[in-house]
Amino acid sequence: MLAYFIRRALLIIPTLFGIMVLNFLIVQAAPGGPIEQIVAKLQGTSVSATARFSGGSGSDVATAASQAMKAADTVAVARYPGAQGVDPELIKELEHQFGFDQPLYKRFLTMMGHYIVFDFGTSYFRDESVLNLVLSKMPVSVSLGLWTTLIVYLISIPLGIRKAVRDGSAFDVWSSAAIIIGYAIPGFLFAVLLIVVFAGGRYLDWFPLRGLVSDNWSSLPWPARIVDYFWHIALPITALVISGFASLTMLTKNSFLDEINKQYVLTARAKGLSEQRVLYGHVFRNAMLIVIAGFPAAFIGILFTGSLLIEVIFSLDGMGLLGFEAAINRDYPVMFGTLYFFTLLGLVMNIVGDLAYVLTDPRIDFETREG
């Protein structure tokens, strides 16, 4: 078994490398790179509504831009459509600053060499370390992802088990109707409804609408800090949970129904074991395997992508919003840095999921399955 997990860990390296190569090539082929973004800002044609341009490291882009704007006779730059009227020397300086004067393969290998030691460089448009940006946004995303995943599992597993045990009953029917509604309505619409009702939108003003904690959080005593923290995340977490528990509940129910109808369950009942002993001593371990398998993907999805609109609606500055801004503004260090980090995290979580399989049911032997 140890050899299996070692091989899985070693497989992370080529998998991560392949994902980075594909995304690097796709992004490089896409129009509207960072130089085009800066040119658009200089010409006043930028349509970005999220990120703030504050210059780059190394040479002074602001000085170069000022010189370019004063140039009387400029020429069109063929490599960057829309750069007509911009001083070619500025374009060359920007290419050197961003490393675009290097061959594509060399840029990629240099980037990966830095990423191995978790050196993600500096954001093009924020003039701040990517690692510092990620660390500053992580508390919001981890809070949303961790609490949402935990609450979803705490609700979905007992509810799914109860629906399986009482399959076809009135409880199963009306709970299924509620689940269908939760599955059909997007989480951001629930978020808007919660704001209208509970956050001063129209009716009640019980919850705050901005930030993870209050401005005076650091000056509060510890009990008050905990209360303030949960007070701020109550509505975002509720919106994510309502839209996220439906599929897991049905997965749990179907998994338990499949196990309940198997021969070993009939045998256990025939031996006179209580229904609780049969359900939680025999069925639970087997039925939970498929639920455990989905945990890594669920956590990573909520952590990074699933909460983007929720972060925007509740003014929470987390990883989802950071990644969205980076993609819009072609901030390559942030884009590839976050991609590398979350891809690596996802691959590690998949191994953790396999380990959870073994802990849940020691009879599972991945070595035998591979053979």
Side-chain angles (χ1 to χ4, degrees):
M1 186 63 67
L2 179 61
Y4 168 79
F5 285 107
I6 292 176
R7 288 197 298 271
R8 284 291 305 272
L10 293 176
L11 190 61
I12 288 177
I13 298 174
T15 304
L16 181 61
F17 186 84
I19 291 173
M20 294 300 296
V21 167
L22 289 176
N23 283 275
F24 184 83
L25 294 176
I26 292 173
V27 170
Q28 300 303 317
I35 293 182
E36 289 93 327
Q37 295 284 331
I38 293 178
V39 168
K41 292 177 184 295
L42 294 176
Q43 296 180 337
T45 59
S46 173
V47 296
S48 174
T50 55
R52 301 173 298 278
F53 172 66
S54 59
S57 59
S59 58
D60 189 351
V61 177
T63 301
S66 177
Q67 294 174 352
M69 296 300 288
K70 294 178 181 178
D73 298 319
T74 56
V75 296
V77 182
R79 289 185 59 187
Y80 304 100
Q84 292 82 3
V86 178
D87 189 348
E89 292 300 321
L90 172 62
I91 300 296
K92 291 181 180 179
E93 185 176 352
L94 291 174
E95 287 181 332
H96 177 72
Q97 175 185 331
F98 294 143
F100 293 163
D101 55 346
Q102 301 292 327
L104 197 63
Y105 76 92
K106 187 174 182 180
R107 286 163 47 199
F108 177 77
L109 293 177
T110 300
M111 180 186 75
M112 291 302 296
H114 291 156
Y115 283 8
I116 291 175
V117 294
F118 293 95
D119 177 13
F120 300 130
T122 303
S123 169
Y124 287 162
F125 297 99
R126 291 175 180 256
D127 197 22
E128 186 176 350
S129 167
V130 174
L131 185 59
N132 290 338
L133 281 173
V134 171
L135 292 178
S136 66
K137 311 301 181 184
M138 282 297 287
V140 172
S141 296
V142 169
S143 294
L144 294 178
L146 185 62
W147 287 112
T148 300
T149 306
L150 178 62
I151 295 174
V152 164
Y153 270 71
L154 289 177
I155 293 176
S156 299
I157 292 175
L159 180 59
I161 294 174
R162 186 172 178 82
K163 285 175 63 63
V165 173
R166 302 183 60 180
D167 183 42
S169 65
F171 170 81
D172 183 41
V173 172
W174 69 257
S175 60
S176 295
I179 288 172
I180 292 173
I181 294 174
Y183 185 77
I185 302 179
F188 70 89
L189 288 183
F190 278 117
V192 173
L193 176 62
L194 291 173
I195 290 174
V196 171
V197 177
F198 297 108
R202 187 168 185 178
Y203 298 100
L204 305 174
D205 191 9
W206 289 353
F207 295 92
L209 191 56
R210 182 178 300 274
L212 191 64
V213 294
S214 299
D215 294 336
N216 64 336
W217 184 81
S218 59
S219 63
L220 297 174
W222 277 108
R225 290 187 185 185
I226 296 174
V227 172
D228 182 78
Y229 167 72
F230 284 107
W231 184 46
H232 278 75
I233 68 171
L235 294 187
I237 295 299
T238 301
L240 287 170
V241 168
I242 290 176
S243 61
F245 81 99
S247 58
L248 183 59
T249 299
M250 298 307 299
L251 177 65
T252 303
K253 175 190 174 181
N254 294 332
S255 179
F256 269 79
L257 281 177
D258 183 57
E259 292 295 326
I260 287 173
N261 295 323
K262 289 186 177 179
Q263 185 63 41
Y264 75 90
V265 176
L266 298 177
T267 302
R269 286 171 174 166
K271 290 180 178 180
L273 296 180
S274 66
E275 192 65 22
Q276 293 295 317
R277 179 72 180 276
V278 172
L279 188 61
Y280 293 101
H282 296 274
V283 176
F284 184 83
R285 174 179 293 177
N286 296 325
M288 284 301 296
L289 291 177
I290 192 172
V291 178
I292 291 173
F295 177 82
F299 178 72
I300 296 299
I302 295 174
L303 185 65
F304 186 55
T305 58
S307 60
L308 170 59
L309 291 175
I310 300 298
E311 290 180 9
V312 173
I313 292 172
F314 289 99
S315 300
L316 297 171
D317 195 7
M319 289 298 304
L321 186 58
L322 176 65
F324 175 74
E325 290 183 354
I328 292 296
N329 293 282
R330 301 297 194 273
D331 196 341
Y332 290 167
V334 177
M335 290 175 61
F336 292 122
T338 54
L339 173 66
Y340 178 89
F341 177 79
F342 280 99
T343 301
L344 179 61
L345 181 60
L347 293 172
V348 171
M349 290 295 289
N350 284 333
I351 298 179
V352 173
D354 286 348
L355 181 61
Y357 265 131
V358 176
L359 295 177
T360 304
D361 190 350
R363 296 172 299 174
I364 294 178
D365 188 350
F366 289 105
E367 295 285 354
T368 304
R369 291 176 62 186
E370 283 191 331

